[in-house]
Amino acid sequence: MNRAEKALHALKQMDELTEMDSPVHRLSALSKLLVTLLFILITVSFHKYDLTGVFMMALYPYVLFQLSGISFRLCIYRMRYAIPLVAMIGIFNPFFDRDPLLQIAGISISGGMISFLTLLLKGMLCLCASFLLVSTAKIDDLCAALRRMHVPSLLVTVFMLTYRYISVLTEEVALMTDAYHLRAPGQKGIAFHAWGSFLGQLLLRTMDRAQELYAAMLLRGYNGEFPDLQKNENRTASWIWLITWAVIFLALRWLNIPDLIGRMFMR
Amino acid sequence: MIEIRNLTYEYEPGKPVLKNISFTVEDGERVGLIGANGAGKSTLMKLMLGLLESTDAVFADGVPVKKDTLPEIRRKLGFVLQNSDHQMFMPTVAQDIAFGLLNYGMGQTEADRKTDEVLNQLHVSYLKDKYNHRISGGEKRMAAIAAVLAMEPSALLMDEPTSALDPENRRRIIQLICSLPQTCIITSHDLDMILDTCSRVILLDQGGIIKDGPAETILRDRELLEAHHMELPLSLSRR
């Protein structure tokens, strides 16, 4: 199995996750999308030194992992390439911000280190929430939810067609890669000098497909606007889900929960 | 009825790919359009569907194929592409079938009903909620035909409907084509399939009609076929 085929397999696995049955899967995509957006907004809004505050936001992915039955390990596995990128963004913080911010057991910890950890945690939580969204809501339901949010039809169409054709494109890449390796035995990957023609071929094939696809759309009455994709009506549970999490997120953001808990014990 | 009158078409000036083509396909007739690669079959199909512009040379039920009449023409003529992946662009089979219906103003409930009906007709109801990128080649072909049939066209144009199918799926498609009441125009290099499905064959070469007649006669004419870079259907060559 080459890399492209592995990517295709991973995509198939993601599809299978959306077909699971759990209380979270049964909620409307719109409510899940809104809760995820709110979660990301609130998470990134925490101050750069507010590590405990951001840590409390882990409650949402924790509850979702428990309710949906989706494996946390799978999530970490899927995020393995993204986490280092998030870490790269804040990697220099400890070098630039050296002022000691707190001391733990006599060891002073700099503001840069705390801000780095906060950033890393924020990134991981946002990635987790996004992963949970796409593994509990089907793509067509998400597109319908985006249209309900009045996201322009063109963007939703591009998003939907990209998802539909990513597997076709990946299959094409897999075939081309296999064809290349059959005539270039012993080579690891595709030689640098072949990349131009390889990508050129891929582009030409993609354009051919795009033209034929557009013709197929025109032949069935496409006039620039996709028909209404809405199908899931928001149910009571979805509304309760949305409102409950909105209240929890706002409470976590504006009430210092760790401090409140600490005071309870101090008394 | 589909009528082509003195159709000539050229992509580059002075190099016509179709030369003075004329023929009529009556209602309910199944016609095979055969010819070697580059004979002009695909161009002819595109002209019939209005994907390429022609001037008063193509008529469907008396309506000329031109810019103003395209919505009406495309309602009358359904097209099944060679590659079903290009035809099935919505995420699920049901959404794809409903796509054309909704575009032509049908309500969601009615479109759902029609989707169920056409899937039942083709005995593939189980495909309804499946993702298009996760079904087999044969299933994709059935779903693509279902999407076109749902529009209730008076004629079906099919480009290589049996290409890349295993024998069982090929047989299913042939049976399906034979059972359709609509006019069918089929282009294919699978001459056995043309022999099984079509009563009439039009042989094209270098942009012109070489022969137009009964399938049994043309497809048995070894000399004619070989003169135009084709071969007898396997089922006939073994006899």
Side-chain angles (χ1 to χ4, degrees):
Chain A
M1 197 188 280
N2 63 33
R3 276 189 186 180
E5 284 167 326
K6 279 182 187 165
L8 207 59
H9 183 67
L11 199 68
K12 201 173 166 186
Q13 274 187 329
M14 288 302 292
D15 278 344
E16 280 165 7
L17 290 180
T18 63
E19 284 162 14
M20 288 167 63
D21 187 30
S22 77
V24 184
H25 285 82
R26 287 194 288 272
L27 293 166
S28 81
L30 180 62
S31 65
K32 283 182 277 194
L33 179 63
L34 286 172
V35 170
T36 306
L37 288 175
L38 191 62
F39 173 82
I40 291 171
L41 271 176
I42 300 268
T43 304
V44 296
S45 76
F46 277 91
H47 190 267
K48 63 178 179 177
Y49 296 139
D50 196 354
L51 183 60
T52 49
V54 177
F55 185 74
M56 293 304 289
M57 292 299 284
L59 177 72
Y60 173 67
Y62 174 77
V63 171
L64 243 69
F65 279 119
Q66 294 301 317
L67 288 178
S68 65
I70 286 167
S71 154
F72 177 66
R73 282 178 64 184
L74 178 68
C75 174
I76 293 294
Y77 180 71
R78 289 271 169 265
M79 294 188 332
R80 68 193 182 284
Y81 297 121
I83 292 172
L85 289 176
V86 175
M88 287 288 283
I89 298 169
I91 196 104
F92 293 110
N93 287 15
F95 301 104
F96 292 120
D97 182 1
R98 293 169 179 226
D99 295 338
L101 198 72
L102 59 105
Q103 283 208 332
I104 299 174
I107 302 166
S108 77
I109 297 173
S110 69
M113 183 57 78
I114 297 291
S115 65
F116 169 63
L117 290 174
T118 308
L119 189 69
L120 187 64
L121 189 60
K122 278 182 184 180
M124 284 179 67
L125 289 177
C126 291
L127 286 169
C128 260
S130 308
F131 172 84
L132 284 162
L133 175 69
V134 294
S135 51
T136 57
K138 291 183 178 175
I139 196 74
D140 42 316
D141 293 337
L142 278 176
C143 288
L146 287 169
R147 284 299 291 140
R148 278 187 164 191
M149 290 167 67
H150 298 283
V151 173
S153 169
L154 185 66
L155 279 179
V156 178
T157 303
V158 169
F159 175 58
M160 195 175 70
L161 289 180
T162 304
Y163 179 80
R164 167 69 184 91
Y165 283 94
I166 202 154
S167 59
V168 178
L169 188 67
T170 314
E171 273 171 24
E172 198 80 57
V173 172
L175 281 172
M176 286 174 68
T177 311
D178 284 345
Y180 178 87
H181 286 301
L182 285 171
R183 288 190 291 151
Q187 269 193 31
K188 201 174 181 185
I190 291 163
F192 183 66
H193 63 84
W195 269 104
S197 53
F198 190 89
L199 289 177
Q201 271 295 322
L202 190 64
L203 179 70
L204 289 173
R205 290 182 191 198
T206 309
M207 283 165 68
D208 279 348
R209 277 176 189 269
Q211 274 177 351
E212 199 156 295
L213 162 73
Y214 185 59
M217 289 163 77
L218 287 179
L219 291 174
R220 284 196 282 151
Y222 180 70
N223 55 5
E225 184 78 23
F226 258 70
D228 200 351
L229 288 163
Q230 296 174 17
K231 62 176 189 180
N232 271 0
E233 280 305 308
N234 258 354
R235 293 165 299 169
T236 319
S238 299
W239 278 108
I240 293 171
W241 177 262
L242 175 61
I243 292 164
T244 308
W245 279 113
V247 170
I248 293 172
F249 292 157
L250 293 173
L252 289 172
R253 178 66 184 89
W254 278 282
L255 299 176
N256 193 339
I257 306 287
D259 185 51
L260 289 175
I261 296 170
R263 282 186 199 177
M264 268 168 52
F265 284 105
M266 292 296 281
R267 281 173 199 165
Chain B
M1 188 176 77
I2 297 169
E3 198 183 350
I4 315 277
R5 290 182 202 155
N6 306 318
L7 173 65
T8 296
Y9 189 82
E10 48 191 30
Y11 289 103
E12 286 176 59
K15 292 182 183 171
V17 286
L18 290 176
K19 294 171 225 161
N20 205 24
I21 301 274
S22 295
F23 64 87
T24 302
V25 180
E26 298 295 338
D27 288 341
E29 206 176 2
R30 285 200 294 271
V31 178
L33 210 54
I34 62 168
N37 291 332
K41 305 185 297 290
S42 299
T43 305
L44 183 54
M45 283 278 200
K46 284 181 182 171
L47 285 160
M48 282 193 248
L49 293 158
L51 291 170
L52 293 174
E53 276 185 52
S54 62
T55 46
D56 283 348
V58 185
F59 300 83
D61 294 337
V63 181
V65 177
K66 53 186 184 182
K67 209 171 181 182
D68 307 341
T69 58
L70 284 182
E72 191 184 347
I73 291 295
R74 286 168 181 172
R75 191 83 212 238
K76 288 176 189 291
L77 305 180
F79 185 42
V80 180
L81 277 74
Q82 180 177 355
N83 188 335
S84 307
D85 261 325
H86 297 174
Q87 183 144 2
M88 309 292 289
F89 42 81
M90 297 294 277
T92 67
V93 171
Q95 284 170 343
D96 210 279
I97 295 173
F99 176 84
L101 302 173
L102 296 172
N103 275 331
Y104 278 96
M106 194 180 271
Q108 184 71 54
T109 319
E110 184 64 7
D112 287 343
R113 191 197 59 75
K114 187 74 200 164
T115 301
D116 288 337
E117 186 187 306
V118 75
L119 286 171
N120 277 332
Q121 184 194 337
L122 303 190
H123 309 291
V124 286
S125 306
Y126 64 95
L127 292 179
K128 188 180 175 187
D129 293 316
K130 296 248 167 110
Y131 279 116
N132 279 323
H133 63 276
R134 290 185 57 191
I135 57 179
S136 71
E139 289 171 333
K140 274 182 196 164
R141 196 63 56 91
M142 291 302 265
I145 295 175
V148 174
L149 286 180
M151 307 271 290
E152 297 182 344
S154 58
L156 273 177
L157 279 68
M158 297 182 172
D159 188 8
E160 295 283 359
T162 52
S163 70
L165 292 183
D166 60 45
E168 191 189 337
N169 279 309
R170 180 179 171 279
R171 178 53 48 196
R172 283 179 76 190
I173 296 290
I174 289 173
Q175 284 169 349
L176 172 68
I177 294 171
C178 291
S179 70
L180 293 173
Q182 283 96 340
T183 308
C184 286
I185 300 179
I186 305 167
T187 69
S188 183
H189 294 297
D190 180 354
L191 297 187
D192 287 280
M193 182 272 291
I194 295 287
L195 188 64
D196 284 347
T197 54
C198 300
S199 56
R200 178 179 160 200
V201 159
I202 297 174
L203 171 62
L204 288 176
D205 196 11
Q206 295 183 350
I209 293 182
I210 304 298
K211 190 97 177 174
D212 180 352
E216 278 281 338
T217 313
I218 292 178
L219 295 177
R220 279 177 191 279
D221 192 337
R222 183 191 294 266
E223 275 182 34
L224 175 73
L225 292 174
E226 286 182 354
H228 298 284
H229 319 288
M230 307 198 77
E231 290 178 346
L232 280 181
L234 277 174
S235 55
L236 295 181
S237 61
R238 282 183 191 141
R239 284 177 197 170

